[in-house]
Amino acid sequence: MNRKPHVAVVGATGAVGLEMIKTLEKRNFPVGKLTLLASARSVGKKLKFRGRDIPVQELKKDSFGGIDIALFSAGGSISKEYAPIAAQAGCVVIDNSSAFRMDDKVPLVIPEINAADIKWHKGIIANPNCTTAIALMALYPLHAAFNCKRIFASSYQAVSGTGAKAIAELERQVDQIVKKQPVTREVYPHQIAFNVLPHVDSFLPTGYTKEEMKMENEGRKIMHHPAFRASVTCVRVPVYRAHSVAISAEFEKPATVEAALAVLKKAPGLDVIDNPAKCEYPLPLYQSDKYNCAVGRLRKDCALENGLCFWVAGDQLLKGAALNAVQIAEELMK
Ligand code: A2P
């Protein structure tokens, strides 16, 4: 493309949409024109981009004429309905929802791992699940070195992963508790303030949740590793921003801590913070607003043959969503 692209953000007023706008600006993405789309409720709102107020428009079927790249983050049902319409209109869709991730005709991409898959897109490229993206930033380099057979993992997921309403719910509940008022809830099935919920997304007949199965299913597709197995428990925690994942991974090749550390230190988009004696390890509070994910607590797994345990944290609104989407757009421009 010779000119700067016309970019649209669908779901511009949401937690991820706002980060997409910020990330386009911060990374100096060559935006020729920016169109912001959301529901009719947001018409009249204006959002800042490069110092200018841009009005939010209502998403409609004819919204995509002249748009080159559309970053979607307005939920799966909006993506299912509008992404094919946008692609039909000649726009490349980078979709943050789960709607197309497992579609054989749609690449599912983390640029540090499988940027080459972008080449075979047919108008839609999927962004991975946030927890999967953060886990794979540390797991994939280890897999490339030692061949990962399977993982056992637990996630610690921030409320902003549920969207702007969930951030407000945690804030409100903390305030209600401090003021000794009755706690009200709208978003989660239980109080989230001062609590943890072993429940992210809906339950499947197997007893796992949909979110838990994304690590295995999306991990297989992104790593090109159909035999990869993952047993995951996803947990919502009263953290505003950044997800953490505790992982025990079993490898085919022997993996010493020293060799693994050497691999992780060279991995793109990943910082190693691993000095337990000084209480230094990745923390969601400090990963918030950072592009890189961080890994630490690396140790030999005492229950698995050729196993390693580690802890990864990353800003799920960025690497798990907005940043990854903008990185895909950057790859498209190369
Ligand atoms: P709106 O703010 O107008 O409701 P979050 O995940 O943080 O809740 O954000 C969801 C995003 O998806 C928001 O930008 C929201 O816009 C947008 N959205 C929700 N429903 C629709 C819809 N029917 N049409 C277009 N955008 C929608």
Side-chain angles (χ1 to χ4, degrees):
M1 198 181 296
N2 296 326
R3 60 189 168 77
K4 290 183 179 175
H6 180 173
V7 178
V9 176
V10 180
T13 52
V16 172
L18 292 169
E19 290 302 325
M20 285 171 161
I21 300 167
K22 260 206 248 169
T23 307
L24 287 168
E25 177 165 340
K26 270 200 187 165
R27 290 175 74 89
N28 217 5
F29 188 82
V31 177
K33 185 176 174 196
L34 185 66
T35 292
L36 302 179
L37 300 164
S39 78
R41 296 179 289 275
S42 294
V43 173
K45 275 192 193 162
K46 287 183 175 155
L47 299 172
K48 280 243 182 294
F49 180 67
R50 293 183 183 153
R52 286 182 37 228
D53 284 327
I54 303 193
V56 178
Q57 300 173 38
E58 183 183 355
L59 172 66
K60 291 188 180 151
K61 290 196 170 137
D62 63 0
S63 294
F64 297 97
I67 291 173
D68 301 299
I69 299 174
L71 308 180
F72 270 63
S73 193
S77 57
I78 296 290
S79 291
K80 266 198 190 117
E81 185 176 353
Y82 288 91
I85 295 171
Q88 191 63 40
C91 167
V92 181
V93 172
I94 302 170
D95 181 34
N96 193 50
S97 82
S98 61
F100 299 98
R101 288 182 192 145
M102 298 315 296
D103 185 326
D104 288 343
K105 295 179 289 307
V106 174
L108 174 64
V109 176
I110 297 176
E112 289 88 344
I113 300 175
N114 63 330
D117 284 341
I118 292 172
K119 289 198 190 89
W120 55 265
H121 83 80
K122 294 172 179 62
I124 302 176
I125 302 164
N127 223 23
N129 164 259
C130 49
T131 309
T132 302
I134 289 162
L136 292 189
M137 288 302 287
L139 183 65
Y140 177 74
L142 295 173
H143 165 62
F146 309 113
N147 227 344
C148 182
K149 280 170 33 183
R150 55 181 182 159
I151 63 165
F152 301 90
S154 293
S155 71
Y156 302 73
Q157 300 185 216
V159 294
S160 45
T162 316
K165 275 192 193 139
I167 302 174
E169 177 139 316
L170 175 56
E171 235 158 36
R172 189 189 64 244
Q173 290 183 349
V174 169
D175 191 49
Q176 288 168 331
I177 290 164
V178 169
K179 291 181 178 150
K180 301 201 178 343
Q181 292 169 348
V183 171
T184 57
R185 51 161 202 89
E186 286 163 20
V187 178
Y188 295 115
H190 303 281
Q191 177 183 318
I192 183 65
F194 306 103
N195 203 4
V196 295
L197 311 180
H199 179 181
V200 179
D201 208 337
S202 50
F203 286 99
L204 296 164
T206 55
Y208 283 93
T209 64
K210 281 188 184 169
E211 181 87 352
E212 287 162 352
M213 295 316 298
K214 288 171 189 170
M215 190 85 80
E216 179 169 283
N217 295 330
E218 297 183 22
R220 287 177 173 183
K221 184 166 172 179
I222 294 165
M223 296 195 288
H224 297 182
H225 182 4
F228 173 64
R229 310 211 51 190
S231 176
V232 182
T233 302
C234 286
V235 182
R236 187 73 63 190
V237 296
V239 162
Y240 281 122
R241 188 161 168 162
H243 289 356
S244 310
V245 195
I247 301 176
S248 282
E250 187 175 42
F251 299 93
E252 275 178 21
K253 297 184 194 165
T256 64
V257 169
E258 294 68 33
L261 211 49
V263 164
L264 293 171
K265 280 183 177 162
K266 278 194 239 146
L270 187 72
D271 296 326
V272 176
I273 305 174
D274 200 7
N275 192 353
K278 288 192 167 169
C279 305
E280 288 169 2
Y281 24 70
L283 292 172
L285 193 61
Y286 306 140
Q287 286 312 122
S288 295
D289 236 5
K290 290 214 170 94
Y291 286 159
N292 277 9
C293 295
V295 63
R297 295 292 323 277
L298 183 69
R299 59 206 189 275
K300 191 113 193 88
D301 191 293
C302 65
L304 293 175
E305 204 59 44
N306 293 335
L308 291 169
C309 289
F310 49 96
W311 168 260
V312 202
D315 188 324
Q316 94 290 350
L317 295 179
L318 291 176
K319 189 58 202 169
L323 170 66
N324 200 74
V326 173
Q327 285 177 306
I328 292 173
E330 289 169 352
E331 291 289 331
L332 280 171
M333 298 301 294
K334 280 183 187 168

